[in-house]
Amino acid sequence: MDFSLNKNTKIYVAGHKGLIGSAFVRFFEKNNFTNIIVEDRKKLDLCSKDATFSFFQQHQPEVVILAAGKVGGIVQNRDFPLDFLNENLSMQINVFNSAREFKVKKLLFFGSSCMYPKNSLIPMKESQIFTGDLEQTSIAYATAKYSGFQMCQAINRQFNMSSFISVIPNSVYGPNDNFDLNSSHVLSALIRRIHEAKTSNLTSVQLWGTGSPRREFIYSDDLVEACVLLLNSSFQFQNFPINISEGVDFSIKELSIIISKVVGYRGEVNWDVSKPDGAIKKLLDNSKMKSIGWNASTNLEQGIKKVYKWYLNSL
């Protein structure tokens, strides 16, 4: 199906207050899109089949950005696996079925690098998804995301289309990130911990794990630009999702050094090796995105400066 976004396209952004959803809203507002649909989660429970169906029936969106979902850090994923399965599966099933029922022209679904086996070849190619044992701390979340990807593919195959697009970004960060130390991801958690060490005049700060795992990060605005390119492209999505990544990884120790520099913290960083590291390395193969002309424009230090400025303004 030939379709591309225009300023009047009716676009529903699910999860518009979150990290990824808010980045889409910023992009659309900056570029003068006039028909953006958002709804507060207190008014619309996407885990409710009837509420979701009624919402789609009322608004009839042409494009859906499914950026809503239950996310969390290592400890939450490990301790509340059923919650991650229930909420994410419910949202995905309700949104996908409503989108299909009301003939949405494009839907964008966000998978996760947790879907890759813990011992994947590096960089991780899309064809490796679910071909081996997963990292145990995130297996429930990964399973929910994999089910969402499979549902996208099933809809595309059964109805002979490529309208339901699955993407896998790697460690997104940006404004409206989660800085709660109990549920945040590593970059935002380190920003908060190191900032608080600085403001408390601490001579040292203790961070989780060994600091040796390597992670790849993508700034939220860069992710949105990549996704808009995909929404406007004729790329075929029936077989696999598509990785969206910068193509450069950093150890957690290296990340802590960059954050300390941006924050202006000069104390010592110590590592609590009794805490879990998670997967040792997560670097995505980004050759598909490069093949259609996309590259990230924000390097890690630039992005952290922007996020830290937003964090300070949010305090």
Side-chain angles (χ1 to χ4, degrees), residues 22 95 125 127 153 168 181 215 256 305:
S22 64
V95 170
K125 294 182 179 291
S127 58
Q153 304 312 305
I168 301 179
L181 293 178
R215 295 290 182 268
S256 72
K305 286 178 180 178

Side-chain angles (χ1 to χ4, degrees), residues 12 43-58 86-87 89-102 151:
Y12 169 43
K43 296 181 179 179
L44 173 61
D45 180 9
L46 292 175
C47 291
S48 165
K49 177 182 176 181
D50 291 341
T52 306
F53 187 91
S54 296
F55 178 83
F56 273 75
Q57 186 176 45
Q58 176 185 351
N86 272 338
E87 287 195 38
L89 285 174
S90 296
M91 287 185 197
Q92 290 161 195
I93 290 171
N94 293 335
V95 170
F96 292 160
N97 284 332
S98 296
R100 185 176 59 82
E101 176 70 23
F102 293 102
M151 193 166 184

Side-chain angles (χ1 to χ4, degrees), residues 13-27:
V13 181
H16 70 286
K17 292 184 177 179
L19 169 60
I20 294 176
S22 64
F24 273 96
V25 172
R26 282 197 306 276
F27 175 90

Side-chain angles (χ1 to χ4, degrees), residues 112-113 116 123-127 129 166-170 230 241-245 283-290 294:
S112 169
S113 60
Y116 284 100
M124 298 184 288
K125 294 182 179 291
E126 291 90 344
S127 58
I129 291 172
S166 299
V167 298
I168 301 179
N170 215 356
L230 289 175
I242 185 168
N243 291 332
I244 302 180
S245 68
L283 178 66
L284 300 181
D285 181 290
N286 63 358
S287 56
K288 284 186 179 180
M289 283 306 302
K290 284 190 172 183
W294 178 84

Side-chain angles (χ1 to χ4, degrees), residues 120-139:
S120 291
L121 297 175
I122 302 295
M124 298 184 288
K125 294 182 179 291
E126 291 90 344
S127 58
Q128 296 182 65
I129 291 172
F130 256 64
T131 57
D133 293 336
L134 304 179
E135 169 59 44
Q136 287 300 305
T137 55
S138 57
I139 192 168

